[in-house]
Amino acid sequence: QVQLVDSGGGLVQAGGSLRLSCAASGRTFSSYAMGWFRQAPGKEREIVATIRWTGATFYYADSVKGRFTISGDNAKKKVYLQMNSLKPEDTAVYYCAAATRPGGSYYVLRDYDYWGQGTQVTVSS
């Protein structure tokens, strides 16, 4: 059974930093990409950053470019999100996700089929 466990959220002042971590487990787990998504109250879940293992291709939402960095280790089934210069508008529940089906762009939510439980990030002004 595949399970993703994400952690590292918390309360931080604007301008501060946080590092989120995600670990995947499951004897047969293998992914084409992993990523981070977020959902603020009353809003739809949106993509934050993804990493496609083949070619180490990265994708970032415009709103986080230059501030967030995704990294990971496919062999260790782990992915991280370093978040710097945090803003109040970054406040949301952040979810780790994995894409185990081939053929996707891995830039959209529908390509991801396993999800973590979410970790709350709150940025105070």
Side-chain angles (χ1 to χ4, degrees):
Q1 183 177 356
V2 175
Q3 186 177 16
L4 300 182
V5 178
D6 41 36
S7 61
L11 173 63
V12 64
Q13 288 188 333
S17 298
L18 283 173
R19 186 175 189 247
L20 305 184
S21 299
C22 174
S25 63
R27 194 159 54 92
T28 61
F29 177 80
S30 177
S31 68
Y32 291 88
M34 294 185 72
W36 290 95
F37 300 77
R38 67 186 182 187
Q39 187 166 17
K43 295 188 177 182
E44 294 186 352
R45 191 171 298 189
E46 62 178 6
I47 193 168
V48 175
T50 66
I51 178 169
R52 184 173 184 167
W53 301 120
T54 301
T57 304
F58 302 92
Y59 173 86
Y60 293 95
D62 288 342
S63 59
V64 306
K65 282 180 181 177
R67 300 188 298 122
F68 291 10
T69 302
I70 188 170
S71 61
D73 187 324
N74 190 18
K76 295 183 178 179
K77 305 175 184 178
K78 293 183 177 180
V79 67
Y80 308 96
L81 185 68
Q82 178 66 42
M83 304 186 294
N84 298 329
S85 302
L86 281 160
K87 304 175 181 180
E89 50 264 44
D90 294 318
T91 296
V93 177
Y94 284 69
Y95 297 90
C96 169
T100 66
R101 299 178 298 230
S105 68
Y106 310 118
Y107 302 151
V108 293
L109 271 71
R110 64 174 178 268
D111 287 342
Y112 291 81
D113 48 341
Y114 289 97
W115 294 83
Q117 79 284 1
T119 184
Q120 176 70 47
V121 172
T122 303
V123 184
S124 62
S125 57

